[in-house]
Amino acid sequence: MFDICYTHPKVLAGIEAVLGASYKLSSLNYRAAKPGRGQQKLHVDYKNAVPEDGYKVCNTIWLLDDFTERNGATRIVPGTHRSRDLPEAAMHDPNAPHPDEILIIAPAGSVVIFNSHVWHGGTTNHTDRDRRSIHSYFCTRDQPQQIDQQRYITPETRERIGARGQAILDV
Ligand SMILES: O=C(O)CCC(=O)C(=O)O
């Protein structure tokens, strides 16, 4: 049931728009903002600010629940994927609200595709229910994967996903 997270044509078109044609899955993971929790520092999904030779990472959030003003929706600071600074260098407190941040508010079933050099992070869930999501996270082929897919792939999965899926997983 997770194959769609790294094979959906519209998602891959979005990834390609950011990373170019030479990308692979870095990891597929689940995250829930639990009641009273979920706050993250503003961060990027790369070790440094944007490298000279272009963007290296691009993330997607698959909303399993509605993202609302109150339940720990992801915040992003639009335009910061062009910044040469990391949030911790530019901000006194990356945990604090940023004046230009916006919340991603969308219904369950939506997929958010974002250049994850943009400053972003989870916010606190002020409701009594988990706010759940799946991330399929991509990187350029010159980068190490967050999860070494080759190590975990089963023969059944390899067979099922075919040559295209194998190329995206880099197995
Ligand atoms: O779940 C979210 O709202 C954002 C998660 C995130 O950016 C992360 O875990 O690095």
Side-chain angles (χ1 to χ4, degrees):
M1 81 169 64
F2 300 108
D3 290 356
I4 192 172
C5 298
Y6 57 89
T7 59
H8 195 294
K10 284 190 179 172
V11 169
L12 297 184
I15 301 300
E16 188 165 337
V18 175
L19 298 182
S22 185
Y23 61 83
K24 61 188 173 183
L25 186 76
S26 182
S27 65
L28 183 63
N29 53 68
Y30 168 81
R31 180 170 188 270
K34 299 267 180 200
R37 307 189 67 88
Q39 174 69 23
Q40 293 180 320
K41 291 179 183 173
L42 284 171
H43 62 276
V44 302
D45 291 340
Y46 192 66
K47 53 186 185 291
N48 305 316
V50 181
E52 293 294 336
D53 61 340
Y55 300 125
K56 301 290 184 184
V57 291
C58 191
N59 214 332
T60 71
I61 309 176
W62 297 63
L63 280 62
L64 303 183
D65 295 300
D66 294 348
F67 278 25
T68 70
E69 298 275 353
R70 296 193 64 246
N71 74 349
T74 310
R75 58 180 175 147
I76 67 166
V77 186
T80 46
H81 60 292
R82 297 197 186 93
S83 169
R84 295 282 162 190
D85 283 331
L86 293 174
E88 56 267 36
M91 292 176 72
H92 174 62
D93 177 10
N95 241 315
H98 187 287
D100 300 327
E101 75 184 26
I102 59 168
L103 281 180
I104 295 172
I105 304 295
S110 306
V111 181
V112 180
I113 306 166
F114 67 106
N115 180 329
S116 55
H117 293 272
V118 82
W119 301 359
H120 66 277
T123 61
T124 303
N125 180 354
H126 296 289
T127 73
D128 58 4
R129 298 184 55 184
D130 288 3
R131 187 238 69 186
R132 301 163 303 163
S133 57
I134 291 175
H135 295 200
S136 49
Y137 169 52
F138 296 81
C139 61
T140 50
R141 291 190 87 81
D142 60 348
Q143 295 299 304
Q145 288 170 312
Q146 199 169 41
I147 298 289
D148 179 1
Q149 305 293 333
Q150 177 71 39
R151 187 166 167 205
Y152 296 103
I153 190 100
T154 62
E156 293 77 19
T157 303
R158 186 188 289 277
E159 172 77 16
R160 187 185 68 245
I161 64 180
R164 176 86 173 116
Q166 290 170 25
I168 295 167
L169 295 188
D170 197 24
V171 294

